[in-house]
Amino acid sequence: MIVRGGRRLSGQVTVSGAKNSALKLMAAALLAPGVSVLHNVPAIQDVSTMREVLEHLGARVDFADGTMTIDTVDVTSQVAPYELVQRMRASIQIMGPLVARFGQARVAMPGGCNLGPRKIDIHLRGLAAMGGTVRSGHGFVEVTADKLRAIDMFLDYPSVGATENLLMAAVLAEGTTTLENAAREPEIVDLCKFLVSMGAEIEGAGSSTLRITGVNEMHTAEHTVLGDRIEAGTYLIAGAVTGGEVEVTGISPHVLDLFLSKLRSIGVQVHENTRSVKIWGDPTSYVGVDVATLPYPGFATDLQAQMMVLLSLAQGVSVVTENVFENRFGFVDELARLGADIRVNGNHAVITGGRALSGAIVRCPDLRAGAALAIAGLAAEGCTELRDVYHIDRGYERFEEKLRALGADVERSVAGEVSCPAT
Ligand code: EPZ
């Protein structure tokens, strides 16, 4: 991707459906035989991969213009192969639904990823407590159960994925399950809404305590995916770093509360509406702030990299603390190539701001870091060439197109036909 900096972004952009909800809603469709329908599904790589997983299990999936139909009548397999799981860790979210409905699931262990070891111990401990027999070997983990039974469980950590897997397992378990210290992300609330529309009985969606009373069977349903808050935050920061004026629509501002209050503390002007957020500001007036990522409603780890770019430009010193993933500063060295002054010490990154960024060749280490490097290119003087941009395609629908609509000079170079001038 070739990004030429120096342009102020302005205009309106509509977020797509949230990747981190859509993938789980697709898995949840496995809980009921028949055809479920999802609207506002983003056309991104991870959705294609999850579609492949469902089709590998025997489901029939159609997807056009944001609407996906999932027919699970002929689901005959309960195995997710390594080739698919290593491409997308979220494949493990099929485990809960498969064990709940079919009594078994065999999923390749998700490899590590660029964010550190991504364990699934909380997922497996919960399924075992519900009566699942957990076996692992040859790179696979298998869970079998005659009938899952309700549990009272205190999650060691409010893991998003573990909460979702155990939630989907509990809806067909015997009795009432209580999950304490559950994740509270808006995508969990979205999943709970879909499950309830399928016939589940769930209390406490969005709180740390979920209470699920198992039912005998689930039925198909229709659901619209909520807007992607991480995509929204990404475009808001793109507007802020370029000193432009950007309005993001298709999102409820309250899911970005802490993020927006941080933008205000930096000196970005923020205006909130019921389904949109508008920002504007002058980068020379921004001041650094400290940011610590935490489970929702704390500052989203998925917006940490993008915020680092903004803090590199703001005056003063900022400390960013990454509390969610063991290794999510991988892109700092790439950002330094563009001129940022960031010193990493453990899970803290000390940013000395007020720097002018200059274009260079950089490599995207993961999805959100890739988006952050593109944002840095928008703010940098000159031309920036991003490599390995397939990471960005995993989670951002029409990324360049949406940026160009805001006035950015950005294009995709497929076979090197476009490049930055040699410096
Ligand atoms: C989800 O990942 C998101 N992915 C991530 O977004 C997001 O960063 C993360 O939640 C936190 O909000 C999807 O929803 C597909 P976790 P997930 O389980 O479920 C540890 C993006 O860019 N942990 O809350 O994997 C784990 O090692 C992606 O869109 C255990 O120790 O997140 C990690 O350090 C990146 N044991 C921490 O919890 C477990 O059993 C957070 O993981 C599970 C998790």
Side-chain angles (χ1 to χ4, degrees), residues 345-377:
N345 182 342
N347 70 333
H348 299 283
V350 180
I351 303 168
T352 303
R355 313 278 301 191
L357 301 180
S358 60
I361 298 175
V362 287
R363 184 174 297 282
C364 303
D366 66 66
L367 159 61
R368 305 301 175 185
L373 290 168
I375 289 171

Side-chain angles (χ1 to χ4, degrees), residues 99-100 125-133 144-153 166 169-179 212 214:
V99 179
R125 200 175 313 131
L127 290 172
M130 295 174 85
T133 303
T144 51
D146 294 337
K147 177 75 176 165
L148 291 175
R149 57 174 183 274
I151 54 170
D152 292 341
M153 177 172 177
L166 297 177
V171 296
L172 287 174
E174 258 166 49
T176 297
T177 292
T178 303
L179 299 178
I212 307 108

